[in-house]
């Protein structure tokens, strides 16, 4: 479990580390989206993640 958390931290940190200005603009655009749109995209990400875990878990 700790390995998974560490990998998520590495992947999530790449954006702000490599492209801080683009990351800031991305977050600004994201903050201007409607809550329903963010909820829909979040749900899609959860489903894709769960399906990926199901197929990739050893």
């Amino acid at each position: 479990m700790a390995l998974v958390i560490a990998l998520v931290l590495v992947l999530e940190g790449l954006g702000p580390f490599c492209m801080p200005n683009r990351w800031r603009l991305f977050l600004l655009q994201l903050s201007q989206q409607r809550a329903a749109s963010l909820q829909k995209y979040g749900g899609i990400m959860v489903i894709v993640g769960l399906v990926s875990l199901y197929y990739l878990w050893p």
Side-chain angles (χ1 to χ4, degrees), residues 4 6 20 36 56:
V4 172
L56 297 175

Side-chain angles (χ1 to χ4, degrees), residues 23-35:
W23 189 254
R24 184 180 298 127
L25 289 174
F26 169 72
L27 290 179
L28 180 62
Q29 291 174 347
L30 189 64
S31 69
Q32 295 172 353
Q33 297 295 315
R34 294 185 342 217

Side-chain angles (χ1 to χ4, degrees), residues 37-50:
S37 296
L38 293 174
Q39 191 174 26
K40 180 177 79 172
Y41 292 129
I44 291 170
M45 290 169 59
V46 168
I47 291 170
V48 169
L50 289 173

Side-chain angles (χ1 to χ4, degrees), residues 13-27:
L14 283 175
F17 179 74
C18 295
M19 303 172 287
N21 292 328
R22 281 186 158 179
W23 189 254
R24 184 180 298 127
L25 289 174
F26 169 72
L27 290 179

